[in-house]
């Protein structure tokens, strides 16, 4: 009930802010005095709340707040206005993670001031910081609570250099009911990722994949699978990630696996076939090499190209994400239209049908069919 009441007060305070009125019946002079009373720079250590992260909050005397990742406050992770309300302070977000927000979005937080001058946020559910939502309490640690402490003169800020590196990472194989599942996850410079699950069935390679977007904030790695909920993962160090994935085909729950950065990718399938271009009666030969991270290299009519193949042998489809033709940047945001085809087992051999390849530097693509050698 207390939180419902506070949320009701939040709504009233927000409406007052929108229409330029002073909160709780106070005049502008009183409101200014209230905001100046807490104007300062603060740090919030989120470690005990399950996030290995320290963030910073600036409150000014004009009733504005700003969350940032450094004490120079050059980065705006979230910001807005605040005012005194019912013995505490109400915060209404105007921007979060670079996106403008309005009161109708319902993004608000609140805090009270402790005797030592620190700010206690446990009267609200969460604080919005970039792509993260920092909880103010912890079910697993009843003693933990979100507080903001005034930055002392001798404060030594922790290292904010993110150790995360884009690239491919592999985990130890997982065995389920006698089937061995290989795991490779790749993070691309364009903010997309793909997790590839590999296994064998009746001697033939099988694949499934998960794709989406990701974000990194120091040691926090957030994945947003296509069509799924946000996942919290961790950057253990420059070479190691703790990532929540499905450990085997058909798994009902995710499991956190340790992935280690790798530069040595193995070729897991080589296919060959042919394609035809309009006006070319002879057609052209095609070879395709598929690697453990889902990347591919195709050679069609002597022309080579590389990119990413999202393969689902269970659902019988392939999706193709060629590297950018001019910049060679790899990722799943490099093409406006994603070519798609089918995968099957013809005469017991893995076959791609409808793979679209280029046979010259021009942008025209031609369908082809290739079968595993």
């Amino acid at each position: 009930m207390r939180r419902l009441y506070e949320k009701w007060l939040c709504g009233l305070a927000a409406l007052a802010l929108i229409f330029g009125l002073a909160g709780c019946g106070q005049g502008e002079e009183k409101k200014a005095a209230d905001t100046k009373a807490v104007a300062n720079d603060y740090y919030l250590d989120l470690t005990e709340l399950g996030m290995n992260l320290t963030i910073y909050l600036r409150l000014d005397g004009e009733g504005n707040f700003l969350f940032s990742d450094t004490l120079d406050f050059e980065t705006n992770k979230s910001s807005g206005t605040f005012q005194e309300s019912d013995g505490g302070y109400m915060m209404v977000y105007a921007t979060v993670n670079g996106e403008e927000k309005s009161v109708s979005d319902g993004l608000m937080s609140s805090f009270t001031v402790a005797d030592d001058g620190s700010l206690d946020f446990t009267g609200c559910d969460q604080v919005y910081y970039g792509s993260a939502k920092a909880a103010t309490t912890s079910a697993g640690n009843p003693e933990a609570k979100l507080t903001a402490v005034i930055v002392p003169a001798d404060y030594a800020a922790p290292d904010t250099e993110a150790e995360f590196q884009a690239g491919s990472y592999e985990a130890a194989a997982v065995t389920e009911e006698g089937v061995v599942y290989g795991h490779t996850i790749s993070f691309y410079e364009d903010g997309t990722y793909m997790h590839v699950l590999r296994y064998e069935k009746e001697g033939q390679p099988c694949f499934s994949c998960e794709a989406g977007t990701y974000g990194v904030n120091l040691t926090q790695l957030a994945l947003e699978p296509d069509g799924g909920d946000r996942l919290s993962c961790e950057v253990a160090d420059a070479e190691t990630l703790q990532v929540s994935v499905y450990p085997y085909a058909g798994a009902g729950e995710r499991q956190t696996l340790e992935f280690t950065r790798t530069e040595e990718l193995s070729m897991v399938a080589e296919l060959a076939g042919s394609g035809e271009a309009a006006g070319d009666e002879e057609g052209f030969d095609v070879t395709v090499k598929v690697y453990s991270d889902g990347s591919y290299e195709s050679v069609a009519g002597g022309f080579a190209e590389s990119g990413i193949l999202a393969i689902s042998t269970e659902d019988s489809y392939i999706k193709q994400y060629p590297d950018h033709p001019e910049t060679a940047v790899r990722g799943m945001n490099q093409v406006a239209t994603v070519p798609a085809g089918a995968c099957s087992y013809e005469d017991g051999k893995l076959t791609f049908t409808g793979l679209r390849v280029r046979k010259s530097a021009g942008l025209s693509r031609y369908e082809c069919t290739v079968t595993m050698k």
Side-chain angles (χ1 to χ4, degrees), residues 6-22:
E6 287 177 344
K7 288 180 179 179
W8 177 75
L9 285 175
C10 283
L12 292 180
L15 289 174
L17 285 171
I18 284 231
F19 291 106
L21 304 176

Side-chain angles (χ1 to χ4, degrees), residues 97-373:
N97 202 30
E99 297 181 1
E100 293 186 1
K101 301 295 179 181
S102 65
V103 174
S104 62
D105 293 311
L107 304 186
M108 303 179 192
S109 301
S110 64
F111 63 84
T112 57
V113 183
D115 292 340
D116 62 0
S118 63
L119 311 181
D120 183 348
F121 283 89
T122 56
C124 66
D125 293 325
Q126 57 197 6
V127 166
Y128 299 89
Y129 176 83
S131 60
K133 298 176 183 177
T136 61
T137 58
S138 171
N141 184 0
E143 301 300 319
K145 63 180 183 179
L146 184 60
T147 58
V149 179
I150 295 175
V151 178
D154 59 350
Y155 177 75
D159 185 12
T160 59
E161 185 68 26
E163 295 186 291
F164 173 84
Q165 303 179 73
S168 295
Y169 296 75
E170 292 188 345
V174 174
T175 302
E176 178 68 18
E177 297 184 351
V179 179
V180 179
Y181 295 88
H183 291 265
T184 306
I185 189 167
S186 299
F187 298 90
Y188 308 112
E189 297 289 354
D190 66 353
T192 60
Y193 80 92
M194 187 170 74
H195 170 230
V196 176
L197 186 65
R198 307 178 307 279
Y199 57 102
E200 284 193 2
K201 185 176 181 180
E202 299 179 356
Q204 289 296 307
C206 300
F207 303 86
S208 67
C209 62
E210 175 185 278
T213 59
Y214 73 94
V216 180
N217 193 326
L218 302 182
T219 62
Q220 304 303 306
L221 170 63
L223 305 186
E224 293 191 10
D226 293 341
D229 297 329
R230 180 178 180 275
L231 303 170
S232 295
C233 306
E234 185 176 353
V235 180
D237 56 47
E239 303 294 325
T240 312
L241 306 175
Q242 303 290 335
V243 186
S244 177
V245 297
Y246 288 110
Y248 55 88
E253 295 183 355
R254 290 180 179 270
Q255 180 179 335
T256 298
L257 302 182
E258 182 174 279
F259 285 80
T260 303
R261 184 173 168 82
T262 181
E263 300 286 353
E264 299 180 4
L265 298 168
S266 58
M267 186 178 70
V268 294
E270 184 173 9
L271 305 91
S274 62
E276 293 183 0
D280 185 351
E281 295 181 357
E282 295 184 0
F284 54 89
D285 294 330
V286 182
T287 59
V288 178
K289 295 179 180 179
V290 181
Y291 295 88
S292 54
D293 65 341
S295 63
Y296 75 90
E297 294 177 355
S298 66
V299 178
F303 181 81
E305 184 179 58
S306 58
I308 308 164
L309 278 179
I311 309 169
S312 174
T313 51
E314 181 177 349
D315 296 323
S316 302
Y317 76 77
I318 56 173
K319 294 182 180 179
Q320 192 176 351
Y321 301 86
D323 295 345
H324 193 283
E326 296 178 353
T327 64
V329 171
R330 177 166 296 176
M332 309 183 92
N333 285 332
Q334 300 308 305
V335 290
T337 302
V338 179
C343 63
S344 59
Y345 295 96
E346 301 295 334
D347 297 325
K349 295 184 177 181
L350 180 65
T351 299
F352 295 157
T353 304
L355 186 73
R356 290 166 172 80
V357 296
R358 294 162 62 201
K359 57 188 294 289
S360 68
L363 299 181
S364 297
R365 295 188 172 278
Y366 306 93
E367 288 192 15
C368 65
T369 298
V370 291
T371 301
M372 192 167 174
K373 291 184 176 180

Side-chain angles (χ1 to χ4, degrees), residues 36-54:
K36 287 179 180 177
V38 293
N40 222 318
D41 290 345
Y42 300 80
Y43 71 89
L44 297 83
D45 187 347
L46 309 182
T47 303
E48 293 186 358
L49 293 164
M51 298 178 69
N52 186 18
L53 184 66
T54 297

